[in-house]
Amino acid sequence: MDTKILQQTFLTIRSNKIFELFVIFIIVFSALVIGLKTYEISPVALQIIRWLDWVITGIFLTEIIIRFLGEEKKTHFFTQPWNLFDSIIVIVSMIPLDNSDMALVGRLIRVFRVLRMVSIIPELRLLLNSLLKAMPQLGYVVLLMFIIFYIYAAIGSTLFETINPVLWGDISISLLTLFRVMTFEDWTDVMYETMEVYPLSWFYYLTFIFFTAFAFLNMVIGIVVNVLEQESARIRKETHEEMTLEDLDSKIEELKAILLSQQKIRE
Amino acid sequence: MDTKILQQTFLTIRSNKIFELFVIFIIVFSALVIGLKTYEISPVALQIIRWLDWVITGIFLTEIIIRFLGEEKKTHFFTQPWNLFDSIIVIVSMIPLDNSDMALVGRLIRVFRVLRMVSIIPELRLLLNSLLKAMPQLGYVVLLMFIIFYIYAAIGSTLFETINPVLWGDISISLLTLFRVMTFEDWTDVMYETMEVYPLSWFYYLTFIFFTAFAFLNMVIGIVVNVLEQESARIRKETHEEMTLEDLDSKIEELKAILLSQQKIRE
Amino acid sequence: MDTKILQQTFLTIRSNKIFELFVIFIIVFSALVIGLKTYEISPVALQIIRWLDWVITGIFLTEIIIRFLGEEKKTHFFTQPWNLFDSIIVIVSMIPLDNSDMALVGRLIRVFRVLRMVSIIPELRLLLNSLLKAMPQLGYVVLLMFIIFYIYAAIGSTLFETINPVLWGDISISLLTLFRVMTFEDWTDVMYETMEVYPLSWFYYLTFIFFTAFAFLNMVIGIVVNVLEQESARIRKETHEEMTLEDLDSKIEELKAILLSQQKIRE
Amino acid sequence: MDTKILQQTFLTIRSNKIFELFVIFIIVFSALVIGLKTYEISPVALQIIRWLDWVITGIFLTEIIIRFLGEEKKTHFFTQPWNLFDSIIVIVSMIPLDNSDMALVGRLIRVFRVLRMVSIIPELRLLLNSLLKAMPQLGYVVLLMFIIFYIYAAIGSTLFETINPVLWGDISISLLTLFRVMTFEDWTDVMYETMEVYPLSWFYYLTFIFFTAFAFLNMVIGIVVNVLEQESARIRKETHEEMTLEDLDSKIEELKAILLSQQKIRE
């Protein structure tokens, strides 16, 4: 019975708006500390930051424990991906790496604390979910785009390898070069170089740009249409459109039947 | 009674189409004077421009006073942001800064006179309002984008600082460098440099480009859907859709009730 | 009576599909001749091209005359902008400029013969018309964009003139530099240069990019919404939507009135 | 009778899900082998790859034969473009080119085996079909864009040839340069060069960018509107909209006729 009351207390804390704001404040503060570390700072300031780091870790640990104890069914806690993410970030950042060779890794892990912003603000979580949900629908367009990239990369590294091995050395480097061409970043430099050997290689680049631009455009339009359809379906449900013209039609037919039956009776 | 008539006179002037056109002409003229000052000009011309500047300031001051006196409730005048903006621009440009060290500041303030074009043409004011109204809806996407930027900047300035301190020195410089990468401006130069030390750092850039492009795309689509929804809601109101199918349904039900009651009476 | 028959004959020729195809062929041929002249060619070939040029001009002149004579009301012919355009192109290209200093001008005028493709193919004419029709709607967004450009150019040429007069010398050069920044073309080079003197000038560039991108986005969305609205209005007209729910409502009300009057009679 | 049973057997194999997955696996494997060849590899590995190549060709040949024999009407097989494409790829890659001067051509042909992915996965085939179907609708916009390009290229190679023959030498090189300008790739370098001779040539570039951007935008919007229209037509068919308001109207008219005839009888 005692644990029940305790759990209720923790649940109250967890749902408290001030508690949430305090956690957001700590995340922002932790982000600022991470940013500060990238500047050249005096050893004293560095020492203070190191202390602050431990204080932040302590607060995060306390918060996770409160959220865990506030959960009614303990096993349920770790089935939610964001809880899992939060726990891993907090636990990993407690491993003492600061004075070892792994100091860099330790700093990088702390960076991901900023992502806790997403796990704590429901609107951001929702946004990210909707972004992730849109991905599988793009599957086949991405596959098609990868096939285009792969074929062009294979051709490119076969034909242009001897011209510039830095750009066309093997298929993975060629893929990177093609991505560069797709972003139009100094793509003419790449082209002019190969055109000296193969004067018709402009055809290779122009068709590549055309195909990828077209596939990309198709992807964008696909998403737009998808989103608009979902929206219009939602609106149709919300407003009057629960009733269809067919429904009205059957009602009018009913009226007609009544009228005709009255006529029959009288005749 | 006398002030009432005066106020009415000023209101008439203010609402006059010719008065408005004259003010627009003066704003355009003032913009041309500002533009002229950026060219190398003879001292005589400069002196003329300085005189013109004072004439323009005088006209603007007169215009503001007319508009103020034309207002029925004087306190109401300063609650409108555009009136406030106009007044500040006119008053500040009257501070004599031309011969002091602050001459540059004086010139810059005069530049904002061009913005008076927005405050005087209602269509531009409307357009700007609708642009500003669209912003808060983008809030969370912008926050998400900033989180992505911040995490990548923190990682970048941690890993790449020793490679090129000009680009990755601290977190604020890194944010600028990442914005540059997002605009595809010589981003491969940045990447090739870090790939010499970390051969896998292409992954850093490609994921960054992917995430920001995806978030940006989402933002654009969000605006499009928003605008289209507002439009369709507006159209639905304007046209027939004030009546819903449910309304018709209840009317038909009424008819049926009448018919059935008639039948009952007759039986 | 005789001229009437002649006019009819010319109208028949003009409406002939084969005649149209022949003119299109001549335009394409003339375009190829123009293209050929940009290559280094032997004097003999050049002489042939010059002859071909005169032949093409002759055919174009004949075609214009046929179209003119085929018109029922002669004054009506020149009120159509495309007829006027065609006539001017043909007449101007008959002025003998080949051997004078104006040879270059003569060649440039002949280039515009390619535009006759638009005047002869109805679908292209339609497309161009719809493009031109979309423009005035963009008026205010373009004006707003120009105001943004002008203010930034005035600030830029005031602050940065001494840093790099080639890019920021006067307001017109600054406008060109800002357009370059908007297209992201080596914009960081421009920025890094001014950041050495004014370290905070990144704010100038980032806000500029943000404002113009936002205004541009707004313009695009404005066009999309416009086009979609016109389309949906067109569809609504074509399909069932000529009848509105209000119409049906009044019909049902009529039925009700009849029913109630019947009831009254019987009572 | 015997061939009939055999054909049925092959049809069963062909429709088998495991058979399809096996073919997809072989295509992916063949793509990896193609990729592997672009790396520097030991002669032993090269020999293994050559053997694998023949094994893959063998499997592809077997698969095509199975699919051919599984077809009920043999002549029908080659009328489907994808079957034709598959057959050509397989047959051509059987020509022994590895040890001749044509080795490069042989390798390039093998690259197109990756495209068999599209021919084997129905969703990709569908996607590509819908992409190809969208093209003819763009016909006139592309034609208009080409006319713009051609006119600007003719002007460019006439005026700027002497300034930089590498960029403006003849009309085909000018077309490539203009495409470069359209992608904003170092376009200011091209412009600044010609502006030294013709200070007003910025007008040439800015109008070109404006026209192409506008035509491109129009193309994109055209596709979006097209897709949305098709979608809404599809939805209208699927849902209630098979019944129109006109249908309901005529039904109500019928009711009215019945009512009025009843009234007449009674009078």
Side-chain angles (χ1 to χ4, degrees), chain A residues 1-2 9 29 38 79 97 126 139 144 159 196 224 226 234 237:
Chain A
M1 218 63 212
D2 205 49
T9 319
F29 182 74
T38 65
T79 56
L97 292 167
L126 217 84
L144 189 66
L159 291 179
E196 273 166 35
V224 170
N226 234 320
R234 199 180 52 74
K237 241 180 214 159

Side-chain angles (χ1 to χ4, degrees), chain B residues 109-128:
Chain B
I109 287 164
R110 270 177 190 78
V111 169
F112 286 99
R113 280 179 179 170
V114 183
L115 264 184
R116 293 216 47 213
M117 202 73 133
V118 179
S119 74
I120 209 92
I121 303 179
E123 282 88 355
L124 282 182
R125 230 155 50 202
L126 216 85
L127 193 66
L128 208 78

Side-chain angles (χ1 to χ4, degrees), chain B residues 30-40 104 107-108 111-112 114-115 117-118 121 123-124 127-128 130-132 134-135 138 166-167 176-177 179-180 183-186 216 219-220 223-224 227-228 231 234-235 239-245 247-248 251-252 254-256 258-259 261-262 265-266, chain C residues 140-144 147 150-159 161 168-173 184-189 191-192 195 198 202 205-206 209-211 213-215 217-218 221 224-225 228-229 232 236 241 243-246 248-250 252-253 255-260 262-263 266-267:
Chain B
S30 126
L32 290 178
V33 169
I34 289 161
L36 209 65
K37 268 193 280 189
T38 64
Y39 290 90
E40 299 232 349
L104 205 68
R107 280 181 70 180
L108 289 181
V111 169
F112 286 99
V114 183
L115 264 184
M117 202 73 133
V118 179
I121 303 179
E123 282 88 355
L124 282 182
L127 193 66
L128 208 78
S130 77
L131 284 183
L132 290 173
M135 291 232 196
L138 305 177
V166 175
L167 289 174
L176 195 59
T177 305
F179 185 74
R180 170 187 168 169
T183 65
F184 295 143
E185 160 50 16
D186 279 347
F216 181 77
M219 201 170 75
V220 172
I223 304 177
V224 171
V227 171
L228 283 178
E231 280 301 307
R234 199 178 53 73
I235 287 173
T239 56
H240 59 88
E241 302 280 340
E242 281 160 60
M243 169 125 309
T244 67
L245 289 176
D247 292 341
L248 281 186
K251 295 235 169 166
I252 292 176
E254 231 175 292
L255 275 186
K256 197 176 157 185
I258 296 172
L259 271 176
S261 70
Q262 289 183 355
I265 293 168
R266 245 172 292 140
Chain C
Y140 285 109
V141 184
V142 171
L143 181 57
L144 189 65
I147 291 171
Y150 199 86
I151 289 172
Y152 272 90
I155 295 172
S157 59
T158 304
L159 291 179
E161 193 181 1
W168 304 101
D170 55 55
I171 202 161
S172 53
I173 292 180
F184 296 144
E185 160 49 17
D186 279 347
W187 69 275
T188 48
D189 296 354
M191 180 177 68
Y192 289 151
M195 272 176 77
Y198 299 98
W202 58 264
Y205 297 96
L206 260 65
I209 289 174
F210 176 78
F211 284 138
F214 203 67
L217 203 68
N218 218 270
I221 291 169
V224 171
V225 171
L228 283 178
E229 254 170 61
S232 74
R236 213 178 305 138
E241 302 280 340
M243 169 126 308
T244 67
L245 288 175
E246 265 80 12
L248 280 187
D249 179 51
S250 59
I252 291 175
E253 287 288 349
L255 274 186
K256 197 176 158 186
I258 296 172
L259 270 176
L260 291 177
Q262 288 184 354
Q263 201 164 6
R266 246 172 289 143
E267 280 166 9

Side-chain angles (χ1 to χ4, degrees), chain A residues 31-32 34-35 38-39 104 107-108 111-112 114-115 117-118 121 123-124 127-128 131 134-135 138 167 176-177 179-180 183 185-186 220 223-224 227-228 231 234-235 239-245 248 251-252 254-255 258-259 261-262 265-266, chain B residues 140-141 143-144 147 150-151 154-155 157-159 161 169-172 184-189 191-192 195 198 202 206 209-210 214-215 217-218 221 224-225 228-229 232 236 241 244-246 248-249 252-253 255-256 259-260 262-263 266-267:
Chain A
L32 290 177
I34 288 162
T38 65
Y39 291 90
L104 205 69
R107 281 182 69 181
L108 289 180
V111 169
F112 286 98
V114 184
L115 265 184
M117 201 72 135
V118 179
I121 302 178
E123 282 88 355
L124 283 181
L127 194 68
L128 208 79
L131 284 182
M135 290 229 195
L138 305 175
L167 289 175
L176 194 60
T177 305
F179 184 75
R180 169 186 171 169
T183 65
E185 159 50 18
D186 278 347
V220 172
I223 304 177
V224 170
V227 170
L228 283 178
E231 280 300 307
R234 199 180 52 74
I235 287 173
T239 57
H240 60 88
E241 303 281 340
E242 281 159 60
M243 169 124 308
T244 66
L245 288 177
L248 281 186
K251 295 236 169 167
I252 293 175
E254 230 174 294
L255 275 185
I258 295 172
L259 271 176
S261 70
Q262 290 183 353
I265 291 167
R266 244 171 291 141
Chain B
Y140 285 111
V141 184
L143 181 57
L144 189 66
I147 292 172
Y150 199 85
I151 289 173
I155 295 172
S157 58
T158 305
L159 291 179
E161 193 181 0
D170 54 55
I171 202 160
S172 54
F184 295 143
E185 160 50 16
D186 279 347
W187 70 274
T188 47
D189 296 354
M191 180 176 68
Y192 289 153
M195 272 176 78
Y198 299 98
W202 57 265
L206 260 65
I209 288 173
F210 177 78
F214 203 66
L217 203 69
N218 218 268
I221 292 169
V224 171
V225 171
L228 283 178
E229 254 171 59
S232 74
R236 214 178 304 137
E241 302 280 340
T244 67
L245 289 176
E246 266 80 13
L248 281 186
D249 178 51
I252 292 176
E253 286 289 347
L255 275 186
K256 197 176 157 185
L259 271 176
L260 290 177
Q262 289 183 355
Q263 203 164 4
R266 245 172 292 140
E267 278 166 8

Side-chain angles (χ1 to χ4, degrees), chain C residues 9-98:
Chain C
T9 318
F10 283 125
L11 192 64
T12 316
I13 296 173
R14 193 174 120 179
S15 315
N16 194 325
K17 203 72 200 167
I18 292 164
F19 177 70
E20 205 185 299
L21 281 175
F22 174 72
V23 175
I24 290 173
F25 168 78
I26 291 296
I27 294 168
V28 171
F29 182 73
S30 124
L32 290 178
V33 168
I34 288 160
L36 209 65
K37 269 193 277 189
T38 66
Y39 290 90
E40 299 232 348
I41 40 177
S42 65
V44 180
L46 201 72
Q47 195 53 43
I48 295 170
I49 283 176
R50 209 163 288 161
W51 285 338
L52 283 174
D53 235 27
W54 280 109
V55 172
I56 291 166
T57 308
I59 293 171
F60 280 171
L61 188 63
T62 317
E63 186 233 338
I64 290 285
I65 291 170
I66 288 173
R67 285 212 281 153
F68 178 70
L69 294 178
E71 193 76 45
E72 207 165 347
K73 281 183 82 176
K74 298 301 179 246
T75 50
H76 188 241
F77 184 78
F78 290 109
T79 55
Q80 285 168 292
W82 283 115
N83 284 341
L84 217 67
F85 172 80
D86 283 359
S87 309
I88 290 166
I89 288 290
V90 171
I91 291 164
V92 168
S93 66
M94 280 167 66
I95 303 168
L97 292 166
D98 284 341

Side-chain angles (χ1 to χ4, degrees), chain A:
Chain A
M1 218 63 212
D2 205 49
T3 51
K4 187 83 193 175
I5 294 162
L6 223 88
Q7 185 248 316
Q8 278 298 328
T9 319
F10 284 125
L11 193 64
T12 317
I13 297 172
R14 192 175 119 179
S15 315
N16 194 326
K17 202 74 200 165
I18 292 163
F19 177 71
E20 204 184 301
L21 282 175
F22 174 71
V23 175
I24 290 173
F25 168 77
I26 291 296
I27 294 169
V28 172
F29 182 74
S30 124
L32 290 177
V33 169
I34 288 162
L36 210 65
K37 269 192 278 189
T38 65
Y39 291 90
E40 298 231 349
I41 40 176
S42 65
V44 180
L46 201 70
Q47 194 53 45
I48 295 170
I49 282 177
R50 211 162 287 162
W51 285 339
L52 283 174
D53 236 27
W54 279 109
V55 172
I56 291 166
T57 308
I59 293 170
F60 279 171
L61 188 62
T62 318
E63 187 233 339
I64 290 284
I65 290 170
I66 288 173
R67 285 211 282 152
F68 178 69
L69 293 178
E71 192 76 46
E72 205 166 346
K73 281 183 82 174
K74 300 301 181 241
T75 50
H76 188 240
F77 185 78
F78 290 108
T79 56
Q80 285 169 294
W82 283 115
N83 284 341
L84 216 67
F85 173 79
D86 283 0
S87 310
I88 289 167
I89 288 290
V90 171
I91 290 165
V92 168
S93 66
M94 281 167 65
I95 302 168
L97 292 167
D98 284 342
N99 301 314
S100 68
D101 296 349
M102 301 283 281
L104 205 69
V105 176
R107 281 182 69 181
L108 289 180
I109 287 164
R110 271 179 189 75
V111 169
F112 286 98
R113 280 180 180 171
V114 184
L115 265 184
R116 293 216 48 212
M117 201 72 135
V118 179
S119 75
I120 209 90
I121 302 178
E123 282 88 355
L124 283 181
R125 230 156 50 202
L126 217 84
L127 194 68
L128 208 79
N129 278 345
S130 77
L131 284 182
L132 290 172
K133 233 191 298 177
M135 290 229 195
Q137 301 168 345
L138 305 175
Y140 286 110
V141 184
V142 170
L143 181 58
L144 189 66
M145 219 152 173
F146 186 75
I147 292 171
I148 296 169
F149 260 82
Y150 199 86
I151 289 173
Y152 273 89
I155 296 172
S157 58
T158 305
L159 291 179
F160 307 147
E161 193 181 359
T162 50
I163 299 169
N164 191 341
V166 174
L167 289 175
W168 304 101
D170 54 55
I171 203 162
S172 52
I173 292 179
S174 299
L175 282 169
L176 194 60
T177 305
L178 285 174
F179 184 75
R180 169 186 171 169
V181 170
M182 197 180 80
T183 65
F184 295 144
E185 159 50 18
D186 278 347
W187 69 276
T188 48
D189 296 354
V190 179
M191 180 176 68
Y192 289 154
E193 201 180 44
T194 60
M195 272 176 78
E196 273 166 35
V197 183
Y198 299 99
L200 288 173
S201 62
W202 57 265
F203 188 76
Y204 172 84
Y205 296 98
L206 261 65
T207 52
F208 174 73
I209 288 173
F210 176 78
F211 285 137
T212 49
F214 203 68
F216 181 76
L217 203 69
N218 218 268
M219 203 171 74
V220 172
I221 292 170
I223 304 177
V224 170
V225 171
N226 234 320
V227 170
L228 283 178
E229 253 169 60
Q230 283 170 13
E231 280 300 307
S232 74
R234 199 180 52 74
I235 287 173
R236 214 177 305 136
K237 241 180 214 159
E238 275 180 14
T239 57
H240 60 88
E241 303 281 340
E242 281 159 60
M243 169 124 308
T244 66
L245 288 177
E246 266 80 12
D247 293 340
L248 281 186
D249 180 51
S250 60
K251 295 236 169 167
I252 293 175
E253 287 289 347
E254 230 174 294
L255 275 185
K256 198 175 158 186
I258 295 172
L259 271 176
L260 290 177
S261 70
Q262 290 183 353
Q263 203 164 3
K264 223 175 173 179
I265 291 167
R266 244 171 291 141
E267 279 166 9

